[in-house]
């Protein structure tokens, strides 16, 4: 996991503990003002509990320890009884935890609590740049009926059968076995054939299972690479290089320059060497990729990526017509 997330999560848990402690102090102040006799029970319990700890360290007899424990139990019972009599929850003067399993520490022993994973996923969503998009662009909203069930080209399958095959692979093979698959993906085909939508579907499933997915259009990526080079943004570089899955959308729409070519190649190469998976989508044909990019880039895209061709009538136009 990227180090900055560990620090951020540690701060989140610290803030949760501080917040709950403040809430307890507010509750104690309320009881002190309205029912001081109840707070006196609570103060006595704290003193007795401290004495119990000191007594254990001193090594007093079992009988004496038993007596102190019974006194504490009796005081707690009286406190609970008094709180309930005044209309309060019996645990009103007890420190509360947002997660009772780990007591807002994030860990149970040396293992991460389930709440830690949830908070980590929330941070991943924030950095993915996909949080709002994935509310609609997900497998639940994938409408395969929009793809024609008849041939529109010389390709082997109808557009619908083709997309069904692709979706089946990602749902049944790639996503469930993500940690064990060393595979980069290239989606190519005409505009409006479902490449970006399916990329988002995959991203959501991986994010929800606790993987760090980052989405960038090629223009956004080039801007990020400029920031890394010219502003020495090491955190951004760490995010792009070490994320579990980098999605680069709309390859071929950027302005091709010496900088973009060089730095895009460097990014591809670093991620391939580190075996950090990528999904690249483009409206370019395979031959256009070879013509548009240097041999070093096209060789990696066509040689190190599993290729998926998308073809259909423009889905965006069909959706627009459906709305009308």
């Amino acid at each position: 996991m990227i180090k900055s997330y560990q620090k951020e999560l540690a701060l989140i848990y610290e803030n949760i503990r501080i917040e709950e402690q403040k809430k307890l102090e507010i509750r104690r102040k309320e009881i002190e003002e309205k029912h001081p006799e109840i707070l006196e029970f609570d103060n006595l319990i704290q003193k007795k509990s401290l004495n119990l700890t000191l007594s254990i360290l001193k090594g007093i007899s079992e009988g004496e320890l038993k007596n102190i424990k019974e006194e504490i139990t009796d005081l707690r019972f009286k406190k609970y009884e008094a709180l309930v009599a005044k209309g309060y929850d019996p645990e009103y003067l007890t420190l509360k935890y947002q997660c009772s399993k780990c007591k807002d520490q994030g860990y149970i022993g040396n293992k991460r609590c389930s709440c830690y994973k949830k908070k980590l996923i929330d941070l991943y969503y924030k950095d993915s740049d996909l949080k709002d998009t994935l509310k609609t662009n997900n497998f639940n909203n994938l409408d395969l009926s929009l793809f024609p069930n008849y041939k529109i080209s010389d390709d082997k399958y109808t557009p619908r059968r083709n997309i069904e095959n692709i979706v089946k692979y990602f749902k049944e093979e790639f996503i469930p076995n993500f940690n064990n698959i060393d595979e980069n993906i290239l989606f190519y085909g005409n505009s409006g054939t479902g490449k970006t939508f399916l990329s988002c579907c995959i991203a959501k499933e991986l994010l929800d299972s606790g993987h760090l997915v980052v989405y960038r259009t090629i223009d956004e990526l080039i801007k990020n690479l400029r920031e890394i080079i010219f502003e020495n943004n090491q955190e951004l570089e760490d995010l792009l290089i070490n994320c579990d899955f980098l999605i680069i959308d709309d390859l071929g729409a950027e302005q091709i320059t010496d900088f973009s070519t060089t730095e895009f190649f460097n990014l591809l190469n670093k991620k391939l060497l580190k075996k950090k998976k990528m999904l690249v989508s483009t409206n370019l044909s395979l031959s256009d990729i070879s013509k548009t990019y240097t041999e070093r880039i096209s060789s990696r895209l066509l040689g190190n990526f599993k290729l998926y061709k998308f073809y259909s009538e423009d889905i965006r136009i069909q959706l627009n017509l459906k709305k009308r």
Side-chain angles (χ1 to χ4, degrees):
M1 183 176 67
I2 296 175
K3 288 182 180 178
S4 61
Y5 288 111
Q6 291 175 316
K7 293 177 183 176
E8 195 166 351
L9 281 165
L11 182 60
I12 286 171
Y13 277 105
E14 182 181 351
N15 288 336
I16 288 172
R17 294 192 294 271
I18 291 171
E19 179 187 343
E20 291 302 331
Q21 188 63 47
K22 285 180 179 176
K23 288 178 181 177
L24 175 60
E25 291 304 317
I26 291 169
R27 296 196 299 272
R28 284 178 61 84
K29 189 173 182 181
E30 177 193 348
I31 295 299
E32 183 179 26
E33 291 173 354
K34 295 181 178 180
H35 310 287
E37 71 282 3
I38 298 178
L39 192 64
E40 187 57 32
F41 285 130
D42 203 52
N43 291 334
L44 281 171
I45 290 166
Q46 290 184 25
K47 288 178 184 177
K48 293 282 184 182
S49 297
L50 180 60
N51 287 337
L52 178 63
T53 303
L54 294 172
S55 298
I56 291 171
L57 292 173
K58 288 178 182 177
I60 63 171
S61 68
E62 287 292 327
E64 288 175 302
L65 283 176
K66 183 181 177 183
N67 289 336
I68 296 173
K69 288 178 181 179
E70 286 177 352
E71 287 175 9
I72 292 171
T73 300
D74 185 53
L75 285 168
R76 281 180 179 150
F77 180 76
K78 288 177 179 178
K79 181 184 76 170
Y80 294 154
E81 210 172 35
L83 283 167
V84 171
K86 298 297 182 181
Y88 291 97
D89 185 284
E91 300 291 341
Y92 197 70
L93 292 177
T94 304
L95 181 65
K96 300 186 186 303
Y97 301 104
Q98 291 185 17
C99 179
S100 58
K101 289 186 286 186
C102 69
K103 294 182 169 42
D104 297 334
Q105 298 295 322
Y107 283 80
I108 302 171
N110 60 357
K111 292 183 178 180
R112 290 180 191 169
C113 183
S114 57
C115 69
Y116 189 99
K117 181 179 178 181
K118 185 180 183 306
K119 286 178 173 58
L120 182 60
I121 289 171
D122 290 340
L123 291 179
Y124 284 174
Y125 259 96
K126 183 185 73 175
D127 278 341
S128 72
D129 276 356
L130 286 169
K131 188 170 184 177
D132 292 331
T133 302
L134 298 187
K135 291 175 183 177
T136 53
N137 290 13
N138 54 64
F139 279 123
N140 289 334
N141 294 323
L142 178 60
D143 186 358
L144 297 179
S145 69
L146 293 170
F147 293 81
N149 204 20
Y150 51 83
K151 285 198 172 187
I152 60 172
S153 64
D154 294 331
D155 291 287
K156 182 178 180 181
Y157 300 111
T158 66
R160 189 179 302 177
R161 174 54 64 85
N162 179 61
I163 195 67
E164 285 173 347
N165 291 340
I166 294 172
V167 168
K168 182 179 180 182
Y169 170 73
F170 281 97
K171 290 180 79 171
E172 297 182 6
E173 298 291 334
F174 185 82
I175 294 168
N177 301 300
F178 181 80
N179 291 332
N180 301 316
I181 289 180
D182 181 19
E183 189 172 277
N184 297 289
I185 307 298
L186 178 67
F187 288 170
Y188 71 100
N190 294 338
S191 177
T193 51
K195 299 184 297 298
T196 298
F197 191 97
L198 186 56
S199 299
C200 289
C201 293
I202 296 165
K204 185 178 190 320
E205 296 300 311
L206 292 176
L207 280 164
D208 288 347
S209 62
H211 296 94
L212 175 52
V213 180
V214 175
Y215 170 92
R216 295 289 188 270
T217 65
I218 187 63
D219 279 336
E220 291 167 342
L221 181 66
I222 299 303
K223 286 178 185 175
N224 285 173
L225 295 176
R226 286 187 181 280
E227 190 175 335
I228 290 167
I229 298 299
F230 297 118
E231 299 178 28
N232 193 31
N233 191 331
Q234 295 180 1
E235 283 193 8
L236 181 57
E237 181 179 26
D238 184 32
L239 180 70
L240 294 178
I241 296 294
N242 292 312
C243 65
D244 298 316
F245 198 51
L246 176 62
I247 297 175
I248 304 169
D249 198 12
D250 216 13
L251 183 73
E254 78 280 18
Q255 183 180 4
I256 306 294
T257 65
D258 288 341
F259 176 87
S260 69
T261 300
T262 301
E263 295 308 321
F264 180 55
F265 168 77
N266 288 338
L267 177 73
L268 284 180
N269 208 41
K270 285 176 184 177
K271 290 190 73 69
L272 288 169
L273 289 172
K274 297 193 78 168
K275 297 186 182 299
K276 293 292 185 178
K277 291 181 272 290
M278 293 170 276
L279 188 158
V280 176
S281 72
T282 180
N283 294 338
L284 299 175
S285 66
L286 299 184
S287 60
D288 285 338
I289 291 174
S290 298
K291 293 172 187 175
T292 304
Y293 294 97
T294 63
E295 184 180 350
R296 293 198 304 171
I297 291 176
S298 59
S299 172
R300 279 158 180 77
L301 289 173
L302 304 182
N304 294 97
F305 285 66
K306 191 170 181 179
L307 311 179
Y308 289 90
K309 184 178 179 181
F310 284 65
Y311 50 92
S312 178
E313 295 166 351
D314 196 312
I315 303 299
R316 293 190 188 96
I317 293 175
Q318 291 186 64
L319 283 170
N320 195 29
L321 289 172
K322 267 194 171 186
K323 289 176 184 176
R324 294 189 179 188

